[in-house]
Amino acid sequence: MPWDALWLNAHLATMATGRTKYGAIRDAALGIAGGRIAWVGRRADLPGRPEVLATAVHDAGGQWITPGLIDCHTHIVYGGNRAHEFEMRVEGASYTEIAKAGGGILSTVRATRAAAEAELLEGASRRVAQLASEGVTALEIKSGYGLDRATEEKQLRVARRLGERFGLTVRTTYLAAHTLPEEYSGRADDYIAFVCEEGLPQAAKAGLIDAVDAFLEKIAFNEAQTRRLFERARALGLPVKLHADQLSDGGGAATAAAFDGLSADHLEYTSDAGVAAMAAAGTVAVLLPGAFYFLRETKLPPIAALRRAGVPMALSTDCNPGSSPVTSLLLMLNMGCTVFRLTAEEVLHGVTRNAASALGLTASHGTLEVGKAADFVLWRIAGPAELAYAVGANPCTGVVGGGRPRVLARAAG
Ligand code: DI6
Ligand code: FE
């Protein structure tokens, strides 16, 4: 018996490059074995009778199957929330003003330092359950609300535990260069030295880091500080990514590209030169419509230029308490289309194939192709565009992760 399971009576959005939109195959079959995809194609082309080919045969009832969705940029592990700052902002204060007044990221740093590890795990679990209920099977989780050794590592340990608890693929990103902690006030270079010489190598040694990120911005770190950190990361064999050009053009896209960055993220203020550098380096553009919307930004990222240059575009929630308290990747598909003017096919590539690329997971994730992880989602829809179309709907009826059916945990709140 070659395969463990086979799905029949399904339409596949494989998201693989091919002749059809969405890499679609209608009236298809999908076989899996040993946690990997073993066969993808038209039902009519199956090499034998289903019962002979697989131990378990499932009827998908005419539903669509996509690859497991990938949320490639989250800060989902944090203490407290920032509803009070939202209240201030809607009454007129700006994000930058709140940050300068000691609020913003630093208020979440205080809450995250104070929270016990179990408390962080429970808080983040509610949010991760929400993402998983919409078909997310892999996500990236950043540190960056600790800014000291113990708390950064606490966040990263929670990230790893979330992966185990939910059976999800989790990629961790070390973001100690998120903002300057209060105890280093006026000494940003000293803080970067601490991060490079102690925080980063020690957390890496503990096996907690898959990639390194920084916030290159006027209210955070400058280019020289970012480069110093990236040099250290690359010397340790770790890939980099960057919060780039979110609130102003700091040359972030080009800086990420110069270090063969997996991705440059946000990009609202990225210049043509930054786009060209990303295209040359193969750096993925991670677009975050939730943050754009939530901060009521008006300057759109250079979507047309990215498209023209052939830069792969991914899309993510940026789930965080300050600028994007978003736990719906499906909502990001809709906003990617309505707010950023991406096509329905582009946004779906953005949470599958290109999101895998932003995490260095291209070989194993992001498309329905033989040899890749058996991570996929069943949807009660008439076509893939429906995933980007409806707001607040969740047509997910089943998830398979690593070849195993998932219980869809609906979040308590
Ligand atoms: N950019 C963002 O949008 C988040 N971090 C960053 O560097 C915001 C994080 C926060 O406000 O807590
Ligand atoms: Fe972010």
XYZ file of all heavy atoms in Angstrom, residues 168-231:
502
model
N 2.138 23.128 14.808
C 2.410 24.049 13.701
C 3.906 24.150 13.462
O 4.707 23.940 14.379
C 1.897 25.451 14.047
C 0.402 25.584 14.337
C 0.102 26.957 14.931
C -0.397 25.390 13.050
N 4.274 24.497 12.246
C 5.672 24.823 11.966
C 5.906 26.254 12.424
O 5.255 27.175 11.937
C 5.955 24.701 10.456
O 5.707 23.348 10.072
C 7.389 25.076 10.132
N 6.807 26.448 13.375
C 7.111 27.794 13.864
C 8.557 28.128 13.524
O 9.468 27.334 13.785
C 6.884 27.893 15.392
C 7.508 29.166 15.957
C 5.395 27.844 15.714
N 8.769 29.292 12.911
C 10.117 29.819 12.697
C 10.292 30.998 13.637
O 9.463 31.915 13.634
C 10.327 30.278 11.244
C 10.055 29.194 10.219
C 10.984 28.016 10.346
N 12.292 28.268 9.783
C 13.305 27.408 9.854
N 13.152 26.254 10.475
N 14.456 27.701 9.309
N 11.334 30.972 14.436
C 11.539 32.049 15.403
C 12.503 33.095 14.854
O 13.474 32.769 14.165
C 12.148 31.499 16.702
O 13.361 30.833 16.384
C 11.201 30.539 17.393
N 12.229 34.341 15.170
C 13.088 35.437 14.739
C 13.472 36.283 15.950
O 12.608 36.685 16.728
C 12.372 36.301 13.680
O 12.079 35.498 12.543
C 13.250 37.461 13.241
N 14.767 36.527 16.056
C 15.306 37.311 17.171
C 15.264 38.794 16.813
O 15.935 39.246 15.887
C 16.745 36.852 17.422
C 17.455 37.528 18.572
C 17.124 37.251 19.890
C 18.493 38.419 18.318
C 17.801 37.850 20.937
C 19.182 39.027 19.361
C 18.830 38.734 20.664
O 19.508 39.326 21.701
N 14.429 39.533 17.542
C 14.226 40.961 17.248
C 14.551 41.828 18.469
O 13.792 42.702 18.860
C 12.773 41.180 16.755
C 12.304 42.601 16.422
C 13.148 43.272 15.350
C 10.835 42.624 16.026
N 15.702 41.568 19.087
C 16.090 42.413 20.229
C 16.312 43.853 19.782
O 16.150 44.788 20.568
C 17.341 41.857 20.896
N 16.675 44.058 18.508
C 16.849 45.418 17.989
C 15.508 45.963 17.501
O 15.356 46.392 16.355
C 17.888 45.431 16.871
N 14.535 45.933 18.383
C 13.182 46.408 18.075
C 13.059 47.863 18.509
O 12.565 48.710 17.777
C 12.170 45.513 18.811
C 10.764 45.625 18.341
N 9.717 45.042 19.005
C 10.214 46.245 17.268
C 8.579 45.293 18.366
N 8.863 46.030 17.307
N 13.486 48.136 19.739
C 13.571 49.520 20.217
C 14.589 49.558 21.338
O 15.031 48.516 21.829
C 12.189 50.035 20.686
O 12.223 51.466 20.764
C 11.803 49.479 22.055
N 14.983 50.764 21.737
C 16.002 50.890 22.780
C 15.355 50.739 24.155
O 14.430 51.473 24.489
C 16.666 52.270 22.654
C 17.929 52.494 23.460
C 19.038 51.540 23.029
C 18.386 53.941 23.312
N 15.826 49.778 24.971
C 15.239 49.633 26.303
C 15.601 50.829 27.197
O 16.634 51.468 27.002
C 15.866 48.341 26.830
C 17.118 48.152 26.052
C 16.897 48.797 24.714
N 14.741 51.106 28.185
C 14.929 52.284 29.050
C 16.300 52.319 29.720
O 16.921 53.374 29.835
C 13.818 52.309 30.119
C 12.535 52.925 29.589
C 11.274 52.491 30.342
O 11.201 51.333 30.813
O 10.351 53.307 30.454
N 16.791 51.133 30.125
C 18.070 51.109 30.856
C 19.275 51.469 29.971
O 20.363 51.689 30.468
C 18.264 49.743 31.545
C 18.274 48.522 30.656
C 16.879 47.933 30.371
O 15.883 48.665 30.500
O 16.808 46.746 29.987
N 19.071 51.530 28.663
C 20.145 51.941 27.741
C 19.870 53.325 27.145
O 20.460 53.692 26.135
C 20.289 50.927 26.603
C 21.140 49.724 26.965
C 20.571 48.586 27.524
C 22.523 49.725 26.745
C 21.332 47.479 27.849
C 23.294 48.618 27.065
C 22.697 47.500 27.614
O 23.469 46.417 27.934
N 18.962 54.071 27.735
C 18.569 55.374 27.206
C 19.793 56.227 26.831
O 20.701 56.409 27.653
C 17.704 56.088 28.248
O 17.303 57.314 27.708
N 19.824 56.708 25.596
C 20.950 57.531 25.137
C 22.197 56.732 24.792
O 23.235 57.312 24.467
N 22.117 55.408 24.859
C 23.307 54.575 24.601
C 22.983 53.460 23.603
O 23.191 52.277 23.870
C 23.808 53.958 25.912
C 24.297 54.996 26.935
C 24.964 54.327 28.118
N 24.023 53.522 28.886
C 24.239 52.257 29.244
N 25.355 51.632 28.897
N 23.335 51.596 29.938
N 22.448 53.845 22.471
C 22.006 52.849 21.491
C 23.162 51.967 21.016
O 23.003 50.758 20.842
C 21.339 53.539 20.300
N 24.341 52.567 20.816
C 25.480 51.755 20.347
C 25.871 50.699 21.383
O 26.235 49.579 21.038
C 26.684 52.645 20.013
C 26.471 53.398 18.698
O 25.730 52.881 17.826
O 27.031 54.497 18.551
N 25.788 51.090 22.662
C 26.108 50.114 23.721
C 25.101 48.972 23.719
O 25.447 47.815 23.945
C 26.083 50.776 25.107
C 27.250 51.729 25.294
O 28.172 51.706 24.441
O 27.232 52.499 26.275
N 23.832 49.314 23.495
C 22.806 48.265 23.466
C 23.048 47.314 22.294
O 22.992 46.086 22.459
C 21.404 48.878 23.379
C 20.319 47.808 23.302
C 20.117 46.918 24.355
C 19.545 47.662 22.150
C 19.153 45.915 24.277
C 18.575 46.661 22.068
C 18.385 45.789 23.135
O 17.449 44.797 23.050
N 23.368 47.862 21.132
C 23.638 46.997 19.969
C 24.869 46.116 20.249
O 24.904 44.943 19.877
C 23.814 47.850 18.683
C 22.454 48.475 18.291
C 24.383 47.028 17.537
C 21.348 47.490 17.919
N 25.839 46.676 20.938
C 27.020 45.873 21.308
C 26.602 44.712 22.204
O 27.036 43.568 22.013
C 28.059 46.750 22.007
N 25.737 44.990 23.184
C 25.229 43.910 24.051
C 24.491 42.853 23.221
O 24.710 41.647 23.382
C 24.294 44.487 25.132
C 23.270 43.482 25.610
C 23.632 42.450 26.466
C 21.956 43.541 25.141
C 22.695 41.494 26.864
C 21.017 42.584 25.524
C 21.385 41.556 26.385
N 23.637 43.306 22.309
C 22.866 42.360 21.489
C 23.814 41.482 20.671
O 23.659 40.258 20.616
C 21.877 43.126 20.566
C 21.260 42.199 19.534
C 20.787 43.796 21.405
N 24.820 42.131 20.048
C 25.740 41.392 19.165
C 26.650 40.448 19.947
O 26.933 39.343 19.483
C 26.608 42.365 18.375
S 25.686 43.279 17.133
N 27.102 40.886 21.105
C 28.122 40.096 21.812
C 27.545 39.127 22.834
O 28.193 38.156 23.202
C 29.146 41.022 22.485
C 29.861 41.978 21.522
C 30.291 41.322 20.211
O 30.746 40.159 20.236
O 30.143 41.970 19.154
N 26.342 39.412 23.328
C 25.764 38.525 24.353
C 24.396 37.965 23.968
O 24.217 36.756 23.863
C 25.638 39.279 25.693
C 26.981 39.597 26.327
C 26.803 40.395 27.616
O 26.032 39.969 28.492
O 27.432 41.463 27.709
N 23.439 38.850 23.786
C 22.056 38.398 23.581
C 21.918 37.432 22.420
O 21.403 36.312 22.565
N 22.416 37.867 21.254
C 22.265 37.047 20.043
C 23.038 35.728 20.119
O 22.451 34.658 19.947
C 22.660 37.883 18.811
C 22.824 37.153 17.491
C 21.514 36.478 17.065
C 23.276 38.114 16.387
N 24.347 35.772 20.397
C 25.067 34.482 20.392
C 24.549 33.502 21.438
O 24.503 32.296 21.191
C 26.524 34.864 20.663
C 26.566 36.316 20.919
C 25.263 36.922 20.531
N 24.094 34.020 22.594
C 23.633 33.094 23.625
C 22.291 32.464 23.269
O 22.096 31.264 23.442
C 23.601 33.805 24.987
C 25.026 33.890 25.564
C 25.192 34.938 26.642
O 24.261 35.664 26.970
N 26.384 35.022 27.204
N 21.387 33.267 22.751
C 20.092 32.700 22.349
C 20.277 31.748 21.161
O 19.590 30.734 21.039
C 19.099 33.807 22.004
N 21.225 32.067 20.281
C 21.501 31.184 19.139
C 22.054 29.854 19.637
O 21.664 28.786 19.166
C 22.481 31.851 18.175
N 22.945 29.926 20.616
C 23.538 28.712 21.174
C 22.479 27.821 21.818
O 22.571 26.593 21.780
C 24.595 29.115 22.217
C 25.590 28.028 22.501
C 26.802 28.588 23.227
C 27.493 27.452 23.974
N 28.036 27.878 25.260
N 21.452 28.456 22.372
C 20.359 27.698 23.001
C 19.390 27.128 21.952
O 18.382 26.517 22.301
C 19.610 28.589 23.990
N 19.679 27.378 20.673
C 18.845 26.823 19.603
C 17.508 27.533 19.451
O 16.548 26.972 18.935
N 17.456 28.791 19.888
C 16.165 29.484 19.909
C 15.930 30.377 18.686
O 14.857 30.944 18.542
C 16.062 30.339 21.182
C 15.918 29.551 22.500
C 16.109 30.474 23.708
C 14.552 28.861 22.556
N 16.935 30.511 17.818
C 16.837 31.519 16.748
C 16.939 30.896 15.355
O 17.901 30.194 15.055
C 17.965 32.566 16.882
C 17.937 33.225 18.259
C 17.840 33.616 15.796
C 19.007 34.283 18.439
N 15.944 31.177 14.510
C 16.014 30.760 13.103
C 16.411 31.910 12.175
O 16.840 31.682 11.054
C 14.661 30.195 12.651
C 14.272 28.940 13.436
O 15.173 28.136 13.756
O 13.073 28.779 13.737
N 16.172 33.162 12.601
C 16.532 34.322 11.784
C 16.654 35.542 12.692
O 16.227 35.506 13.848
C 15.482 34.584 10.711
N 17.261 36.610 12.160
C 17.482 37.830 12.942
C 16.852 39.014 12.216
O 16.968 39.149 10.999
C 19.001 38.067 13.149
C 19.258 39.409 13.835
C 19.607 36.923 13.977
N 16.175 39.861 12.985
C 15.418 40.995 12.441
C 15.812 42.250 13.221
O 16.377 42.164 14.326
C 13.922 40.680 12.643
C 12.958 41.612 11.905
O 13.413 42.600 11.300
O 11.741 41.338 11.973
N 15.532 43.420 12.650
C 15.735 44.690 13.353
C 14.703 45.688 12.851
O 14.096 45.483 11.791
C 17.145 45.217 13.094
N 14.517 46.746 13.619
C 13.621 47.837 13.226
C 14.519 49.011 12.855
O 15.090 49.664 13.718
C 12.702 48.182 14.401
C 11.540 49.100 14.086
C 11.102 49.339 12.783
C 10.848 49.720 15.125
C 10.022 50.170 12.522
C 9.770 50.558 14.890
C 9.350 50.785 13.576
N 14.702 49.224 11.556
C 15.517 50.329 11.056
C 14.571 51.498 10.823
O 13.781 51.496 9.874
C 16.221 49.896 9.757
C 16.977 50.948 8.930
C 17.876 51.825 9.784
C 17.797 50.275 7.859
N 14.627 52.468 11.734
C 13.644 53.568 11.682
C 14.137 54.694 12.580
O 14.909 54.454 13.514
C 12.279 53.038 12.174
C 11.095 53.944 11.957
C 10.892 54.351 10.508
O 10.587 53.487 9.655
O 11.043 55.562 10.241
N 13.679 55.916 12.319
C 14.114 57.066 13.127
C 13.846 56.836 14.605
O 14.631 57.242 15.456
C 13.381 58.330 12.657
C 13.883 58.855 11.334
C 13.108 60.109 10.936
C 13.349 60.430 9.474
N 12.134 60.857 8.780
N 12.706 56.179 14.939
C 12.376 55.962 16.353
C 13.028 54.684 16.897
O 12.759 54.311 18.032
C 10.842 55.904 16.595
C 10.191 54.817 15.724
C 10.199 57.253 16.388
C 8.734 54.524 16.083
N 13.866 54.029 16.086
C 14.472 52.770 16.555
C 15.978 52.784 16.277
O 16.714 53.522 16.922
C 13.775 51.586 15.896
N 16.476 51.994 15.326
C 17.913 51.875 15.092
C 18.299 52.379 13.706
O 17.501 52.315 12.772
C 18.359 50.417 15.303
C 18.120 49.996 16.721
C 16.978 49.285 17.063
C 18.989 50.398 17.734
C 16.727 48.955 18.385
C 18.740 50.071 19.056
C 17.614 49.354 19.382
N 19.568 52.878 13.617
C 20.016 53.436 12.339
C 20.700 52.367 11.488
O 20.846 51.212 11.901
C 20.907 54.665 12.566
C 22.209 54.307 13.280
O 22.726 53.190 13.161
N 22.746 55.261 14.038
N 21.123 52.794 10.303
C 21.663 51.833 9.350
C 22.960 51.196 9.856
O 23.154 49.980 9.718
C 21.896 52.516 7.998
C 22.279 51.514 6.943
C 22.532 52.129 5.570
O 21.881 53.133 5.230
O 23.391 51.573 4.856
N 23.836 51.997 10.446
C 25.120 51.448 10.920
C 24.884 50.394 12.001
O 25.527 49.336 12.016
C 25.997 52.582 11.459
N 23.930 50.677 12.890
C 23.630 49.718 13.964
C 23.023 48.439 13.395
O 23.357 47.330 13.813
C 22.685 50.378 14.987
C 23.388 51.465 15.786
C 22.435 52.502 16.372
O 21.264 52.586 16.009
N 22.962 53.317 17.283
N 22.160 48.610 12.406
C 21.534 47.444 11.770
C 22.585 46.590 11.066
O 22.596 45.362 11.166
C 20.459 47.918 10.765
O 19.510 48.710 11.471
C 19.755 46.747 10.101
N 23.497 47.251 10.371
C 24.548 46.508 9.646
C 25.452 45.740 10.611
O 25.843 44.602 10.337
C 25.398 47.470 8.800
C 24.670 47.922 7.547
C 25.506 48.888 6.721
N 24.895 49.023 5.394
C 25.231 48.299 4.324
N 26.206 47.407 4.404
N 24.605 48.462 3.189
N 25.754 46.374 11.703
C 26.611 45.689 12.694
C 25.934 44.399 13.165
O 26.565 43.340 13.257
C 26.866 46.643 13.869
C 27.727 46.003 14.908
C 28.206 46.994 15.938
N 28.919 46.271 16.982
C 29.212 46.762 18.161
N 28.906 48.004 18.448
N 29.858 46.036 19.053
N 24.636 44.499 13.466
C 23.884 43.327 13.920
C 23.825 42.262 12.824
O 24.018 41.062 13.074
C 22.460 43.756 14.307
C 21.482 42.623 14.624
C 21.906 41.867 15.876
C 20.066 43.177 14.802
N 23.580 42.700 11.600
C 23.446 41.742 10.493
C 24.766 41.036 10.213
O 24.786 39.856 9.859
C 22.934 42.460 9.237
C 21.433 42.698 9.239
C 20.654 42.378 10.349
C 20.801 43.223 8.118
C 19.278 42.591 10.347
C 19.426 43.429 8.102
C 18.667 43.119 9.215
N 25.867 41.774 10.361
C 27.169 41.123 10.165
C 27.368 40.004 11.184
O 27.833 38.912 10.854
C 28.298 42.152 10.268
C 28.630 42.739 8.906
C 29.217 44.145 8.970
O 29.850 44.485 9.996
O 29.010 44.899 7.988
